Amino acid sequence: MVVITGASSGLGAALAKLYDRDGKTVYLTGRNRERLADVASGLSSKSKHCACDLSDPNAVESLFGLLEGVPQTIVHCAGSGYFGLLAEQDPQHIQSLIDNNLTSAIHVVREAVKRYQDEPVTLVMVMSTAAQVAKAEESTYCAVKWAVKGLIESVRLELKGKSMNIVAVYPGGMATEFWPNSGKMMDTSRFMSVQDAADMIYGAMSHLGNGHVSDITVNRT
Amino acid sequence: MVVITGASSGLGAALAKLYDRDGKTVYLTGRNRERLADVASGLSSKSKHCACDLSDPNAVESLFGLLEGVPQTIVHCAGSGYFGLLAEQDPQHIQSLIDNNLTSAIHVVREAVKRYQDEPVTLVMVMSTAAQVAKAEESTYCAVKWAVKGLIESVRLELKGKSMNIVAVYPGGMATEFWPNSGKMMDTSRFMSVQDAADMIYGAMSHLGNGHVSDITVNRT
Amino acid sequence: MVVITGASSGLGAALAKLYDRDGKTVYLTGRNRERLADVASGLSSKSKHCACDLSDPNAVESLFGLLEGVPQTIVHCAGSGYFGLLAEQDPQHIQSLIDNNLTSAIHVVREAVKRYQDEPVTLVMVMSTAAQVAKAEESTYCAVKWAVKGLIESVRLELKGKSMNIVAVYPGGMATEFWPNSGKMMDTSRFMSVQDAADMIYGAMSHLGNGHVSDITVNRT
Amino acid sequence: MVVITGASSGLGAALAKLYDRDGKTVYLTGRNRERLADVASGLSSKSKHCACDLSDPNAVESLFGLLEGVPQTIVHCAGSGYFGLLAEQDPQHIQSLIDNNLTSAIHVVREAVKRYQDEPVTLVMVMSTAAQVAKAEESTYCAVKWAVKGLIESVRLELKGKSMNIVAVYPGGMATEFWPNSGKMMDTSRFMSVQDAADMIYGAMSHLGNGHVSDITVNRT
């Protein structure tokens, strides 16, 4: 079984299709029940879905409690974008950005580690190249993405000698639905399509013998 | 005038004394009115203080609205610590950690940039060496500190050509009141005292001609 | 055609086999003619090889001058390891380390950029996780690997808007022939095999539409 | 006694004057005997100087062998600049850049660690902001500076529990003699003067109790 957060759109939805196509049972979660059902309707009948507000730790606990058995892979794609000069950003949107990107990631990672640290579970954390560099007009977005990187690099140290593994994925320059309403003008015509990014990320992940691909950046050429 | 957040204890209180001793008018803020008054009672009579919940954007706006004139320096020391294995961390404490460290920093930086980006204001952001490296048993603390670093490195890009400047300060290995109740066992006997750290940071900050000391790390020898 | 440096052993030789198996014409280079011939003898008859001291800029220029046509991919695997406490390292071995890792990389990247920056060439730079973090008893090795990372991150900025692309590969914890004579005692029984690392790196590299996998880390689980 | 490398000009010469003015015995070294004598002639009579090619490990060993007693501080300022697009850089200049910046730094750090790791010696490594970020038209310069940062961050791990300490200094945007003949056109009129940078760095360095200022960046405002 593969659990995918943020599965109602974008990279999450695209990765769900790839796992489903390969015969995996996918368990989709996201904030919007209708959009999840819509994505699920395009998958094989064994797929499941459940809406969840991942910024609520009790909801995250319940979500994982519903799973039958230990998932092989958890792909955390949930997140949202908010851009523009800091001086012009709105406090409510900033709060949503923190909830949707950082708070959610902490609760998902925490619940996964609590339950599965001694199991051969792969936790795939999809972030952004905004987690790796500073960018003007993306200050709060970089803040929450740097936070998630700091979180997982620290948790990796706590997982030394444990069976669970974390894979870090950094997509950059992807033409998502973030941009049109994001507050930052961008020409995304030369950006990667979500489908191409999903295909490349999916193809890049592997583990063999004592090793695995632990960190992947996909970017515009 | 020098505005100091997190001034009711620790590095904030120690820096307040140093600025006051040098004849600056210090304006102290922090969450706890009594402790602020206590710190202020040890300063010269021109010092002012005002309690403020910096994670509330309206409170931050009001606080800066009270200032008479443009501050020369804003020293953001506010923050709190929370440590221990992620699997054992408590969601409420995690929420406080995010509010006290990331949300507060965003609102302070945002308000400062909105008001003073075209003024010769120095914004000193006191973080931690936990903003620079990953650390086991400090995953959420590293997360919020990496976030603040990502925030200010991005805002620096937005401030290019503006008069306002950001100074980044990274103390490490300091014996603060964080540790005794923090959830991580540490022998702090070989750590720096808060007073020594404050003296070194205060002495290291300078600007001359076209330049300034932009980043300072203080650490145990 | 695919040019592979450091092809006489380790990851270079393993990647050569994978490209050859996929029908590519591989052009092998390395310091030792016999070992190159030995690797080439296991490949299809269209493979070529030529010994070259990559730390000699004239030799690098001649090598690329021999190529018939523009290579599709250049995989720079050449390098050597040297470890142990800095205080105990030998100046001659340090000089070889610099020549084999940094000077060679500069000349290969420089020659490739000179010739092919306007061609759709992929330059794959195989470094090490020692390029990403500091490690005790690997100080000079980290130095030369950090150097190559600084080089290519800077060259990427020079290649903006050009057709050539750089892919960065960071293997960590691989059981290579570096270790037995390296000066640092390591139990490599839980390390990745070279073959597994090569298979994972080879499988992870892709480009689709406007994008590509730009950075890959493979590591022990 | 304070040993200063690269003392015949720039930051090295300016720091020599500051230490001399404070009553320290300074021991100057650099490649050019005449320029060293010239700098020394402006210092108090107790100052000493000795020309040395720091890229020669035997010369470095001899240099330290000449010192009477254990130095309190070693300030490594030696280095040279070389800039421009990688495709247009000259192999001989690249070799000099590696020798003057990386090879020299390794030999100085190695000799210092060998001799003084158990003494309360402060080794100040003056690098550049080019050690911290990638820069177009500075690829090889970034390479050698990233290398020195990788070196000292690794050596710091080897020095844990030892008496010797390393201080990292990153000047950026300084109007040195590097630029006019460097191969990269820059308007340096808004850069920091060398004197201002030296004053700020000198003033920022301190150690108190269990701590010290371990990392300093000075930059243009």
Side-chain angles (χ1 to χ4, degrees), chain D residues 3-10 12-13 16 26-40 48-56 59-60 63-64 66 75-79 100 104 108:
Chain D
V3 176
I4 302 178
T5 74
S8 60
S9 65
V26 297
Y27 192 104
L28 312 179
T29 185
R31 276 166 294 181
N32 188 304
R33 191 179 307 271
E34 286 79 41
R35 287 167 71 192
L36 276 178
D38 201 46
V39 172
K48 296 192 176 75
H49 61 277
C50 176
C52 181
D53 175 3
L54 299 172
S55 67
D56 173 355
V60 174
L63 177 78
F64 279 88
L66 289 172
V75 185
H76 181 61
C77 288
N100 294 339
S104 297
V108 168

mmCIF file of all heavy atoms in Angstrom, chain D residues 3-10 12-13 16 26-40 48-56 59-60 63-64 66 75-79 100 104 108:
data_model
loop_
_atom_site.group_PDB
_atom_site.id
_atom_site.type_symbol
_atom_site.label_atom_id
_atom_site.label_comp_id
_atom_site.label_asym_id
_atom_site.label_seq_id
_atom_site.Cartn_x
_atom_site.Cartn_y
_atom_site.Cartn_z
ATOM 1 N N VAL D 3 50.942 35.262 13.931
ATOM 2 C CA VAL D 3 51.472 34.969 12.597
ATOM 3 C C VAL D 3 50.416 35.358 11.568
ATOM 4 O O VAL D 3 49.243 34.974 11.710
ATOM 5 C CB VAL D 3 51.798 33.471 12.448
ATOM 6 C CG1 VAL D 3 52.268 33.150 11.031
ATOM 7 C CG2 VAL D 3 52.839 33.049 13.477
ATOM 8 N N ILE D 4 50.814 36.117 10.556
ATOM 9 C CA ILE D 4 49.861 36.550 9.538
ATOM 10 C C ILE D 4 50.393 36.168 8.157
ATOM 11 O O ILE D 4 51.486 36.591 7.775
ATOM 12 C CB ILE D 4 49.621 38.071 9.617
ATOM 13 C CG1 ILE D 4 49.117 38.435 11.019
ATOM 14 C CG2 ILE D 4 48.619 38.518 8.549
ATOM 15 C CD1 ILE D 4 48.886 39.915 11.239
ATOM 16 N N THR D 5 49.645 35.364 7.430
ATOM 17 C CA THR D 5 50.037 35.016 6.059
ATOM 18 C C THR D 5 49.344 35.973 5.083
ATOM 19 O O THR D 5 48.344 36.586 5.422
ATOM 20 C CB THR D 5 49.633 33.573 5.697
ATOM 21 O OG1 THR D 5 48.216 33.531 5.485
ATOM 22 C CG2 THR D 5 50.030 32.570 6.774
ATOM 23 N N GLY D 6 49.894 36.089 3.917
ATOM 24 C CA GLY D 6 49.325 37.026 2.944
ATOM 25 C C GLY D 6 49.424 38.449 3.462
ATOM 26 O O GLY D 6 48.581 39.299 3.165
ATOM 27 N N ALA D 7 50.484 38.712 4.229
ATOM 28 C CA ALA D 7 50.576 39.978 4.966
ATOM 29 C C ALA D 7 51.170 41.111 4.148
ATOM 30 O O ALA D 7 51.273 42.237 4.623
ATOM 31 C CB ALA D 7 51.409 39.774 6.234
ATOM 32 N N SER D 8 51.565 40.833 2.895
ATOM 33 C CA SER D 8 52.240 41.881 2.136
ATOM 34 C C SER D 8 51.269 42.870 1.506
ATOM 35 O O SER D 8 51.700 43.874 0.943
ATOM 36 C CB SER D 8 53.141 41.250 1.066
ATOM 37 O OG SER D 8 52.369 40.478 0.186
ATOM 38 N N SER D 9 49.996 42.625 1.587
ATOM 39 C CA SER D 9 49.026 43.558 1.002
ATOM 40 C C SER D 9 47.630 43.248 1.525
ATOM 41 O O SER D 9 47.435 42.268 2.248
ATOM 42 C CB SER D 9 49.038 43.446 -0.526
ATOM 43 O OG SER D 9 48.572 42.155 -0.905
ATOM 44 N N GLY D 10 46.699 44.079 1.168
ATOM 45 C CA GLY D 10 45.283 43.817 1.425
ATOM 46 C C GLY D 10 44.938 43.635 2.884
ATOM 47 O O GLY D 10 45.494 44.304 3.770
ATOM 48 N N GLY D 12 45.564 41.200 4.893
ATOM 49 C CA GLY D 12 46.658 40.711 5.725
ATOM 50 C C GLY D 12 47.494 41.860 6.269
ATOM 51 O O GLY D 12 47.797 41.918 7.473
ATOM 52 N N ALA D 13 47.856 42.792 5.394
ATOM 53 C CA ALA D 13 48.660 43.938 5.826
ATOM 54 C C ALA D 13 47.870 44.821 6.789
ATOM 55 O O ALA D 13 48.419 45.316 7.793
ATOM 56 C CB ALA D 13 49.103 44.742 4.605
ATOM 57 N N ALA D 16 47.686 43.172 10.137
ATOM 58 C CA ALA D 16 48.999 43.245 10.788
ATOM 59 C C ALA D 16 49.142 44.564 11.548
ATOM 60 O O ALA D 16 49.620 44.604 12.692
ATOM 61 C CB ALA D 16 50.111 43.090 9.752
ATOM 62 N N VAL D 26 53.955 40.818 15.804
ATOM 63 C CA VAL D 26 53.420 40.193 14.590
ATOM 64 C C VAL D 26 54.552 39.602 13.765
ATOM 65 O O VAL D 26 55.642 40.164 13.666
ATOM 66 C CB VAL D 26 52.572 41.172 13.734
ATOM 67 C CG1 VAL D 26 51.349 41.633 14.508
ATOM 68 C CG2 VAL D 26 53.388 42.327 13.241
ATOM 69 N N TYR D 27 54.246 38.447 13.202
ATOM 70 C CA TYR D 27 55.216 37.752 12.357
ATOM 71 C C TYR D 27 54.564 37.657 10.979
ATOM 72 O O TYR D 27 53.588 36.928 10.795
ATOM 73 C CB TYR D 27 55.480 36.366 12.946
ATOM 74 C CG TYR D 27 56.667 35.663 12.342
ATOM 75 C CD1 TYR D 27 57.875 35.581 13.022
ATOM 76 C CD2 TYR D 27 56.585 35.087 11.072
ATOM 77 C CE1 TYR D 27 58.977 34.938 12.466
ATOM 78 C CE2 TYR D 27 57.676 34.456 10.502
ATOM 79 C CZ TYR D 27 58.870 34.380 11.204
ATOM 80 O OH TYR D 27 59.947 33.751 10.646
ATOM 81 N N LEU D 28 55.090 38.421 10.025
ATOM 82 C CA LEU D 28 54.464 38.533 8.710
ATOM 83 C C LEU D 28 55.060 37.540 7.729
ATOM 84 O O LEU D 28 56.276 37.362 7.678
ATOM 85 C CB LEU D 28 54.692 39.929 8.123
ATOM 86 C CG LEU D 28 54.432 41.138 9.006
ATOM 87 C CD1 LEU D 28 54.748 42.423 8.223
ATOM 88 C CD2 LEU D 28 52.988 41.138 9.464
ATOM 89 N N THR D 29 54.204 36.946 6.910
ATOM 90 C CA THR D 29 54.747 36.151 5.812
ATOM 91 C C THR D 29 53.910 36.384 4.555
ATOM 92 O O THR D 29 52.767 36.852 4.634
ATOM 93 C CB THR D 29 54.852 34.657 6.177
ATOM 94 O OG1 THR D 29 55.508 33.977 5.096
ATOM 95 C CG2 THR D 29 53.485 34.035 6.370
ATOM 96 N N GLY D 30 54.544 36.105 3.430
ATOM 97 C CA GLY D 30 53.915 36.339 2.133
ATOM 98 C C GLY D 30 54.913 35.948 1.065
ATOM 99 O O GLY D 30 56.043 35.560 1.375
ATOM 100 N N ARG D 31 54.505 36.030 -0.187
ATOM 101 C CA ARG D 31 55.402 35.573 -1.245
ATOM 102 C C ARG D 31 56.518 36.568 -1.563
ATOM 103 O O ARG D 31 57.610 36.213 -1.946
ATOM 104 C CB ARG D 31 54.610 35.296 -2.531
ATOM 105 C CG ARG D 31 53.995 33.920 -2.557
ATOM 106 C CD ARG D 31 52.956 33.802 -3.639
ATOM 107 N NE ARG D 31 51.815 34.680 -3.346
ATOM 108 C CZ ARG D 31 50.728 34.796 -4.100
ATOM 109 N NH1 ARG D 31 50.632 34.114 -5.221
ATOM 110 N NH2 ARG D 31 49.748 35.607 -3.754
ATOM 111 N N ASN D 32 56.240 37.868 -1.382
ATOM 112 C CA ASN D 32 57.153 38.893 -1.879
ATOM 113 C C ASN D 32 57.916 39.574 -0.745
ATOM 114 O O ASN D 32 57.345 40.326 0.047
ATOM 115 C CB ASN D 32 56.332 39.919 -2.676
ATOM 116 C CG ASN D 32 57.207 40.912 -3.387
ATOM 117 O OD1 ASN D 32 58.014 41.580 -2.753
ATOM 118 N ND2 ASN D 32 57.065 40.986 -4.705
ATOM 119 N N ARG D 33 59.228 39.319 -0.716
ATOM 120 C CA ARG D 33 60.066 39.812 0.375
ATOM 121 C C ARG D 33 60.053 41.344 0.478
ATOM 122 O O ARG D 33 59.968 41.917 1.563
ATOM 123 C CB ARG D 33 61.504 39.316 0.195
ATOM 124 C CG ARG D 33 62.417 39.539 1.388
ATOM 125 C CD ARG D 33 63.815 38.992 1.127
ATOM 126 N NE ARG D 33 63.795 37.598 0.699
ATOM 127 C CZ ARG D 33 63.842 36.562 1.555
ATOM 128 N NH1 ARG D 33 63.918 36.779 2.849
ATOM 129 N NH2 ARG D 33 63.812 35.333 1.103
ATOM 130 N N GLU D 34 60.124 42.005 -0.693
ATOM 131 C CA GLU D 34 60.176 43.474 -0.666
ATOM 132 C C GLU D 34 58.882 44.059 -0.111
ATOM 133 O O GLU D 34 58.903 44.989 0.696
ATOM 134 C CB GLU D 34 60.422 44.059 -2.066
ATOM 135 C CG GLU D 34 61.832 43.900 -2.563
ATOM 136 C CD GLU D 34 62.076 42.475 -3.084
ATOM 137 O OE1 GLU D 34 61.169 41.941 -3.762
ATOM 138 O OE2 GLU D 34 63.129 41.900 -2.773
ATOM 139 N N ARG D 35 57.773 43.518 -0.585
ATOM 140 C CA ARG D 35 56.505 44.076 -0.108
ATOM 141 C C ARG D 35 56.301 43.785 1.377
ATOM 142 O O ARG D 35 55.759 44.609 2.109
ATOM 143 C CB ARG D 35 55.338 43.526 -0.939
ATOM 144 C CG ARG D 35 55.317 44.140 -2.344
ATOM 145 C CD ARG D 35 54.386 43.404 -3.287
ATOM 146 N NE ARG D 35 52.986 43.627 -2.948
ATOM 147 C CZ ARG D 35 51.973 42.907 -3.468
ATOM 148 N NH1 ARG D 35 52.225 41.926 -4.319
ATOM 149 N NH2 ARG D 35 50.745 43.179 -3.147
ATOM 150 N N LEU D 36 56.775 42.624 1.815
ATOM 151 C CA LEU D 36 56.693 42.312 3.252
ATOM 152 C C LEU D 36 57.530 43.304 4.057
ATOM 153 O O LEU D 36 57.089 43.809 5.097
ATOM 154 C CB LEU D 36 57.242 40.907 3.525
ATOM 155 C CG LEU D 36 56.308 39.718 3.335
ATOM 156 C CD1 LEU D 36 57.079 38.439 3.605
ATOM 157 C CD2 LEU D 36 55.096 39.817 4.252
ATOM 158 N N ALA D 37 58.738 43.574 3.571
ATOM 159 C CA ALA D 37 59.624 44.520 4.269
ATOM 160 C C ALA D 37 58.978 45.888 4.314
ATOM 161 O O ALA D 37 59.079 46.615 5.313
ATOM 162 C CB ALA D 37 60.986 44.574 3.562
ATOM 163 N N ASP D 38 58.307 46.223 3.235
ATOM 164 C CA ASP D 38 57.631 47.509 3.159
ATOM 165 C C ASP D 38 56.518 47.605 4.206
ATOM 166 O O ASP D 38 56.402 48.611 4.914
ATOM 167 C CB ASP D 38 57.048 47.652 1.747
ATOM 168 C CG ASP D 38 56.778 49.095 1.397
ATOM 169 O OD1 ASP D 38 57.676 49.939 1.654
ATOM 170 O OD2 ASP D 38 55.684 49.378 0.894
ATOM 171 N N VAL D 39 55.718 46.555 4.308
ATOM 172 C CA VAL D 39 54.655 46.546 5.326
ATOM 173 C C VAL D 39 55.285 46.589 6.714
ATOM 174 O O VAL D 39 54.859 47.366 7.589
ATOM 175 C CB VAL D 39 53.751 45.304 5.183
ATOM 176 C CG1 VAL D 39 52.781 45.193 6.366
ATOM 177 C CG2 VAL D 39 52.987 45.344 3.871
ATOM 178 N N ALA D 40 56.335 45.794 6.915
ATOM 179 C CA ALA D 40 56.986 45.714 8.227
ATOM 180 C C ALA D 40 57.564 47.062 8.638
ATOM 181 O O ALA D 40 57.581 47.407 9.833
ATOM 182 C CB ALA D 40 58.072 44.644 8.219
ATOM 183 N N LYS D 48 58.332 40.921 12.910
ATOM 184 C CA LYS D 48 59.280 40.144 12.105
ATOM 185 C C LYS D 48 58.602 39.777 10.793
ATOM 186 O O LYS D 48 57.375 39.774 10.691
ATOM 187 C CB LYS D 48 59.660 38.857 12.851
ATOM 188 C CG LYS D 48 60.396 39.082 14.156
ATOM 189 C CD LYS D 48 60.981 37.765 14.665
ATOM 190 C CE LYS D 48 61.819 37.960 15.917
ATOM 191 N NZ LYS D 48 61.000 38.200 17.133
ATOM 192 N N HIS D 49 59.414 39.433 9.803
ATOM 193 C CA HIS D 49 58.807 38.965 8.565
ATOM 194 C C HIS D 49 59.735 37.985 7.860
ATOM 195 O O HIS D 49 60.954 38.009 8.057
ATOM 196 C CB HIS D 49 58.463 40.127 7.627
ATOM 197 C CG HIS D 49 59.642 40.929 7.203
ATOM 198 N ND1 HIS D 49 60.168 41.937 7.964
ATOM 199 C CD2 HIS D 49 60.393 40.874 6.075
ATOM 200 C CE1 HIS D 49 61.196 42.474 7.334
ATOM 201 N NE2 HIS D 49 61.358 41.848 6.195
ATOM 202 N N CYS D 50 59.121 37.132 7.080
ATOM 203 C CA CYS D 50 59.877 36.092 6.383
ATOM 204 C C CYS D 50 59.073 35.690 5.153
ATOM 205 O O CYS D 50 57.889 35.338 5.273
ATOM 206 C CB CYS D 50 60.047 34.895 7.330
ATOM 207 S SG CYS D 50 60.854 33.485 6.569
ATOM 208 N N ALA D 51 59.685 35.751 3.983
ATOM 209 C CA ALA D 51 58.978 35.351 2.766
ATOM 210 C C ALA D 51 58.828 33.834 2.732
ATOM 211 O O ALA D 51 59.707 33.106 3.206
ATOM 212 C CB ALA D 51 59.738 35.829 1.532
ATOM 213 N N CYS D 52 57.753 33.368 2.179
ATOM 214 C CA CYS D 52 57.501 31.923 2.162
ATOM 215 C C CYS D 52 56.516 31.594 1.046
ATOM 216 O O CYS D 52 55.520 32.287 0.851
ATOM 217 C CB CYS D 52 56.912 31.493 3.507
ATOM 218 S SG CYS D 52 56.576 29.722 3.628
ATOM 219 N N ASP D 53 56.819 30.521 0.318
ATOM 220 C CA ASP D 53 55.855 29.996 -0.659
ATOM 221 C C ASP D 53 55.017 28.951 0.062
ATOM 222 O O ASP D 53 55.447 27.813 0.249
ATOM 223 C CB ASP D 53 56.604 29.378 -1.842
ATOM 224 C CG ASP D 53 55.639 28.706 -2.813
ATOM 225 O OD1 ASP D 53 54.400 28.771 -2.588
ATOM 226 O OD2 ASP D 53 56.116 28.111 -3.797
ATOM 227 N N LEU D 54 53.818 29.341 0.454
ATOM 228 C CA LEU D 54 52.997 28.479 1.308
ATOM 229 C C LEU D 54 52.461 27.253 0.581
ATOM 230 O O LEU D 54 51.940 26.329 1.212
ATOM 231 C CB LEU D 54 51.827 29.273 1.896
ATOM 232 C CG LEU D 54 52.188 30.463 2.782
ATOM 233 C CD1 LEU D 54 50.927 31.261 3.122
ATOM 234 C CD2 LEU D 54 52.868 30.010 4.066
ATOM 235 N N SER D 55 52.583 27.223 -0.742
ATOM 236 C CA SER D 55 52.123 26.034 -1.464
ATOM 237 C C SER D 55 53.193 24.934 -1.436
ATOM 238 O O SER D 55 52.951 23.824 -1.908
ATOM 239 C CB SER D 55 51.753 26.390 -2.912
ATOM 240 O OG SER D 55 52.905 26.768 -3.631
ATOM 241 N N ASP D 56 54.338 25.241 -0.839
ATOM 242 C CA ASP D 56 55.418 24.263 -0.676
ATOM 243 C C ASP D 56 55.401 23.773 0.770
ATOM 244 O O ASP D 56 55.713 24.530 1.695
ATOM 245 C CB ASP D 56 56.760 24.943 -1.008
ATOM 246 C CG ASP D 56 57.954 24.050 -0.702
ATOM 247 O OD1 ASP D 56 57.792 22.934 -0.138
ATOM 248 O OD2 ASP D 56 59.085 24.481 -1.009
ATOM 249 N N ALA D 59 58.463 24.433 2.878
ATOM 250 C CA ALA D 59 58.628 25.836 3.250
ATOM 251 C C ALA D 59 57.715 26.184 4.427
ATOM 252 O O ALA D 59 58.113 26.932 5.333
ATOM 253 C CB ALA D 59 58.313 26.731 2.045
ATOM 254 N N VAL D 60 56.524 25.636 4.422
ATOM 255 C CA VAL D 60 55.595 25.910 5.528
ATOM 256 C C VAL D 60 56.133 25.317 6.822
ATOM 257 O O VAL D 60 56.098 25.946 7.884
ATOM 258 C CB VAL D 60 54.182 25.352 5.211
ATOM 259 C CG1 VAL D 60 53.259 25.511 6.415
ATOM 260 C CG2 VAL D 60 53.604 26.052 3.987
ATOM 261 N N LEU D 63 58.943 27.499 8.010
ATOM 262 C CA LEU D 63 58.418 28.754 8.543
ATOM 263 C C LEU D 63 57.978 28.592 9.992
ATOM 264 O O LEU D 63 58.375 29.378 10.867
ATOM 265 C CB LEU D 63 57.226 29.209 7.693
ATOM 266 C CG LEU D 63 56.513 30.468 8.160
ATOM 267 C CD1 LEU D 63 57.314 31.701 7.774
ATOM 268 C CD2 LEU D 63 55.102 30.560 7.587
ATOM 269 N N PHE D 64 57.176 27.570 10.258
ATOM 270 C CA PHE D 64 56.693 27.380 11.624
ATOM 271 C C PHE D 64 57.832 26.963 12.553
ATOM 272 O O PHE D 64 57.812 27.263 13.743
ATOM 273 C CB PHE D 64 55.528 26.383 11.665
ATOM 274 C CG PHE D 64 54.214 26.997 11.287
ATOM 275 C CD1 PHE D 64 53.795 27.053 9.961
ATOM 276 C CD2 PHE D 64 53.400 27.563 12.252
ATOM 277 C CE1 PHE D 64 52.580 27.625 9.619
ATOM 278 C CE2 PHE D 64 52.185 28.155 11.920
ATOM 279 C CZ PHE D 64 51.768 28.187 10.593
ATOM 280 N N LEU D 66 60.706 28.205 12.549
ATOM 281 C CA LEU D 66 61.449 29.406 12.925
ATOM 282 C C LEU D 66 60.831 30.153 14.103
ATOM 283 O O LEU D 66 61.486 30.984 14.734
ATOM 284 C CB LEU D 66 61.494 30.392 11.739
ATOM 285 C CG LEU D 66 62.372 30.021 10.550
ATOM 286 C CD1 LEU D 66 62.145 31.007 9.411
ATOM 287 C CD2 LEU D 66 63.839 30.006 10.969
ATOM 288 N N VAL D 75 46.721 34.040 11.553
ATOM 289 C CA VAL D 75 45.710 34.606 10.659
ATOM 290 C C VAL D 75 46.110 34.276 9.228
ATOM 291 O O VAL D 75 47.094 34.802 8.709
ATOM 292 C CB VAL D 75 45.590 36.134 10.837
ATOM 293 C CG1 VAL D 75 44.447 36.671 9.989
ATOM 294 C CG2 VAL D 75 45.393 36.502 12.297
ATOM 295 N N HIS D 76 45.355 33.375 8.601
ATOM 296 C CA HIS D 76 45.689 32.956 7.236
ATOM 297 C C HIS D 76 44.893 33.808 6.238
ATOM 298 O O HIS D 76 43.712 33.567 6.002
ATOM 299 C CB HIS D 76 45.380 31.474 7.042
ATOM 300 C CG HIS D 76 45.731 30.983 5.668
ATOM 301 N ND1 HIS D 76 47.008 31.024 5.170
ATOM 302 C CD2 HIS D 76 44.968 30.474 4.666
ATOM 303 C CE1 HIS D 76 47.025 30.536 3.937
ATOM 304 N NE2 HIS D 76 45.784 30.210 3.601
ATOM 305 N N CYS D 77 45.581 34.815 5.687
ATOM 306 C CA CYS D 77 44.964 35.718 4.699
ATOM 307 C C CYS D 77 45.447 35.427 3.282
ATOM 308 O O CYS D 77 44.891 35.977 2.333
ATOM 309 C CB CYS D 77 45.338 37.169 4.999
ATOM 310 S SG CYS D 77 44.525 37.828 6.443
ATOM 311 N N ALA D 78 46.479 34.621 3.123
ATOM 312 C CA ALA D 78 47.066 34.409 1.796
ATOM 313 C C ALA D 78 46.026 33.889 0.816
ATOM 314 O O ALA D 78 45.162 33.089 1.180
ATOM 315 C CB ALA D 78 48.231 33.426 1.904
ATOM 316 N N GLY D 79 46.142 34.334 -0.395
ATOM 317 C CA GLY D 79 45.200 33.913 -1.429
ATOM 318 C C GLY D 79 45.341 34.826 -2.634
ATOM 319 O O GLY D 79 46.022 35.851 -2.582
ATOM 320 N N ASN D 100 47.623 28.912 -4.739
ATOM 321 C CA ASN D 100 47.624 30.061 -3.820
ATOM 322 C C ASN D 100 46.488 30.020 -2.811
ATOM 323 O O ASN D 100 46.574 30.667 -1.767
ATOM 324 C CB ASN D 100 47.500 31.378 -4.599
ATOM 325 C CG ASN D 100 48.711 31.639 -5.472
ATOM 326 O OD1 ASN D 100 49.775 31.082 -5.220
ATOM 327 N ND2 ASN D 100 48.553 32.478 -6.479
ATOM 328 N N SER D 104 47.924 26.007 -0.438
ATOM 329 C CA SER D 104 48.518 26.782 0.656
ATOM 330 C C SER D 104 47.707 26.642 1.939
ATOM 331 O O SER D 104 48.271 26.438 3.023
ATOM 332 C CB SER D 104 48.583 28.264 0.258
ATOM 333 O OG SER D 104 49.421 28.436 -0.855
ATOM 334 N N VAL D 108 49.079 25.135 5.519
ATOM 335 C CA VAL D 108 49.093 25.967 6.726
ATOM 336 C C VAL D 108 48.242 25.332 7.824
ATOM 337 O O VAL D 108 48.673 25.223 8.982
ATOM 338 C CB VAL D 108 48.612 27.410 6.410
ATOM 339 C CG1 VAL D 108 48.342 28.189 7.702
ATOM 340 C CG2 VAL D 108 49.633 28.132 5.545
#
